Amino acid sequence: MKITGAEVFVGGPGKNYVTLKIMTDQGIHGLGDATLNNRETLPAAYLKDYLIPCLIGMDPRNSEDIWQYFYLGAYFRRGPIAMAAFGAIDMALWDIKGKIANLPVYQLLGGKSRDGALLYAHATGADVDDLLESIDQYVAQGYKAVRVQCGIPDMPEGGYAIPEKGQHNDQFITKFTGDVPKLEIWDTEKYLKYMPTVFEKIRERFGDDLKILHDVHHRLLPREAAAFGKEIEKYNLFWLEDPTPADDQSALKLIRQHTTVPIAIGEVFNSLWDCKQMIENEWLDYIRVAVTYAGGITHVRRIVDLAAMHHVKTGFHGAPSHSPISMAAQAHINAWAPNFGIQEYLVLGTKECDALFPSDHVCKDGNFYVSDAPGLGVDFDEKEVKKYTYERGFHPVVRLEDGTMWNY
Ligand code: KDG
Ligand code: MG
């Protein structure tokens, strides 16, 4: 069996999804997702200029050897652009493998460990009233777990991922379009003072059973995060995400020494080497990598296995920046992984997205039910993708009130 060609498409509803299609001489094709939010053209170019020419003639069944060929062959290892490109190839090869075997990918990983995989939604509010309404909406839809982000009074831009007043009805995620990055102003003191009162109101209104998640988005120093974690223990969060910037793995040590609040980290990691130290030291509870820019199923499976040895569960990144292809790849891992924890999920359900990526994966009552179709179980409509053109976007940049640059 040989790879005869591969094509890259950039575009999608509200997102520049980077979709890779690998063709074979047996008429079977595979699909992969190389979307790197706000840098989408880069993995697309890496695939077109450097990887696809090497793929032609390779046996697509040798996904491990192909992964090693590109990873070791790059010389300059890792990095999100390369790992997103390798990840897309890897997903497409697992898709092909499943189609050859006539089995869903989860069967190739070891079969199902569960039926539905627990999902969490994004509730947000410009203020606490909007946030409570937003949570209400997801609880009514059957979600058992909700990430909560709230505007902070007297903070000019309100904090991370905060909509305008009254705009809390959608699964909100910061709008990333524009010719230059949007500026946000951050004030740690105001955040630390206000956020515990928000958790208090959520518990008062929704009781003890709702699983509450919260994303600090890398904004605190280790000592601040340790004190914050200790203070909010009484609200029994499901997790506190990205309390400190992820570059420094040992920052988590201090947090761990002072609080039992569960820690989730890793959406910006692109390899096992970014989280090896924290996993082996058991400084975290949930690993947030994504199959997209952490090298596909082949590499993420290694991270999941290491994590399992250290009581760390999965909580893969699932912001709408991932296309339904990588969300499907994650769903297959989630169905199998003995140490599955939770999955962030925001893309399914929009008409446009379903038209571009038809599938029968199902989100119901706050759970994800993986499709039994062979491979990843997602198609791609090449006519539909022609409706979309690439639109440049940026993540916001953050400054402190005195002008100092800070972490987005
Ligand atoms: O590209 C950045 C977003 O994916 C990120 O800001 C979303 O933090 C995020 C999350 O937890 O989904
Ligand atoms: Mg996050």
Side-chain angles (χ1 to χ4, degrees):
M1 190 173 194
K2 283 195 171 22
I3 295 173
T4 50
E7 235 186 295
V8 181
F9 304 83
V10 180
K15 280 282 154 197
N16 303 307
Y17 294 130
V18 181
T19 305
L20 171 70
K21 179 178 179 183
I22 296 183
M23 282 75 78
T24 68
D25 59 358
Q26 316 268 309
I28 294 175
H29 72 266
L31 296 169
D33 174 25
T35 311
L36 181 63
N37 205 19
N38 297 315
R39 295 293 184 270
E40 297 88 350
T41 52
L42 303 179
Y46 198 120
L47 281 161
K48 282 189 248 181
D49 295 347
Y50 299 101
L51 307 184
I52 291 175
C54 308
L55 270 177
I56 312 298
M58 285 182 168
D59 185 333
R61 294 169 297 187
N62 297 335
S63 48
E64 179 69 51
D65 185 65
I66 293 174
W67 196 93
Q68 300 295 342
Y69 179 93
F70 288 125
Y71 184 80
L72 302 179
Y75 183 61
F76 302 104
R77 291 188 190 178
R78 302 153 54 186
I81 298 165
M83 293 300 267
F86 305 164
I89 292 174
D90 188 70
M91 275 178 242
L93 298 182
W94 280 89
D95 194 23
I96 290 171
K97 213 186 282 292
K99 288 171 179 165
I100 298 169
N102 201 28
L103 289 171
V105 166
Y106 71 78
Q107 289 292 5
L108 307 180
L109 295 170
K112 265 192 194 174
S113 302
R114 61 197 56 76
D115 282 328
L118 179 69
L119 297 177
Y120 73 87
H122 281 197
T124 56
D127 57 26
V128 73
D129 291 334
D130 276 12
L131 173 62
L132 294 175
E133 255 186 60
S134 175
I135 299 172
D136 225 3
Q137 212 173 267
Y138 295 115
V139 170
Q141 288 170 36
Y143 282 93
K144 313 277 180 297
V146 182
R147 183 186 89 158
V148 302
Q149 304 300 127
C150 187
I152 307 295
D154 303 324
M155 207 193 278
E157 299 295 328
Y160 163 70
I162 304 304
E164 303 281 308
K165 178 77 188 152
Q167 301 295 305
H168 53 281
N169 294 327
D170 297 328
Q171 298 245 29
F172 179 80
I173 189 92
T174 311
K175 300 261 182 303
F176 292 127
T177 49
D179 286 333
V180 293
K182 179 177 158 254
L183 175 66
E184 287 182 3
I185 306 293
W186 176 255
D187 184 324
T188 298
E189 247 176 74
K190 286 178 185 156
Y191 167 82
L192 288 177
K193 238 185 251 160
Y194 190 70
M195 205 54 215
T197 69
V198 174
F199 297 134
E200 170 125 33
K201 289 197 172 117
I202 296 171
R203 279 286 173 238
E204 267 166 29
R205 165 96 163 250
F206 295 96
D208 292 339
D209 291 343
L210 180 69
K211 297 183 200 314
I212 303 175
L213 299 82
H214 176 63
D215 193 347
V216 183
H217 225 253
H218 326 275
R219 304 271 165 101
L220 299 178
L221 299 174
R223 192 207 56 76
E224 292 163 346
F228 182 55
K230 194 153 56 171
E231 186 182 352
I232 62 173
E233 267 170 25
K234 53 180 178 284
Y235 304 116
N236 196 24
L237 261 57
F238 184 91
W239 81 29
L240 186 68
E241 178 181 341
D242 289 339
T244 49
D247 316 58
D248 177 13
Q249 297 194 35
S250 57
L252 297 184
K253 184 178 176 187
L254 185 83
I255 304 174
R256 202 48 146 190
Q257 281 168 347
H258 290 276
T259 173
T260 55
V261 69
I263 303 294
I265 196 160
E267 65 182 44
V268 300
F269 297 166
N270 50 72
S271 105
L272 179 56
W273 303 101
D274 295 330
C275 49
K276 182 174 175 289
Q277 186 195 355
M278 60 173 73
I279 292 175
E280 287 175 345
N281 284 298
E282 303 180 2
W283 289 334
L284 76 166
D285 299 276
Y286 295 91
I287 182 71
R288 296 260 303 134
V289 287
V291 288
T292 322
Y293 22 80
I297 293 173
T298 296
H299 193 67
V300 166
R301 189 171 56 158
R302 297 217 153 91
I303 298 175
V304 172
D305 278 337
L306 179 69
M309 290 168 67
H310 293 282
H311 322 287
V312 175
K313 292 186 178 185
T314 63
F316 296 144
H317 192 222
S321 35
H322 303 284
S323 92
I325 298 170
S326 44
M327 295 311 297
Q330 295 188 163
H332 286 280
I333 301 178
N334 290 340
W336 150 74
N339 51 332
F340 167 74
I342 197 166
Q343 174 66 58
E344 179 182 30
Y345 203 94
L346 287 95
V347 284
L348 253 196
T350 73
K351 251 192 3 273
E352 296 81 7
C353 210
D354 290 348
L356 184 57
F357 298 101
S359 84
D360 40 70
H361 295 289
V362 173
C363 282
K364 210 177 85 195
D365 298 330
N367 281 293
F368 191 100
Y369 298 91
V370 69
S371 158
D372 281 322
L376 294 175
V378 178
D379 286 330
F380 178 63
D381 189 326
E382 289 176 42
K383 281 204 282 319
E384 190 71 20
V385 78
K386 294 202 173 84
K387 288 186 184 164
Y388 303 104
T389 48
Y390 168 77
E391 209 185 332
R392 188 173 54 188
F394 291 94
H395 290 93
V397 293
V398 180
R399 290 186 187 276
L400 303 182
E401 278 177 330
D402 70 357
T404 309
M405 278 298 295
W406 204 243
N407 311 296
Y408 172 62

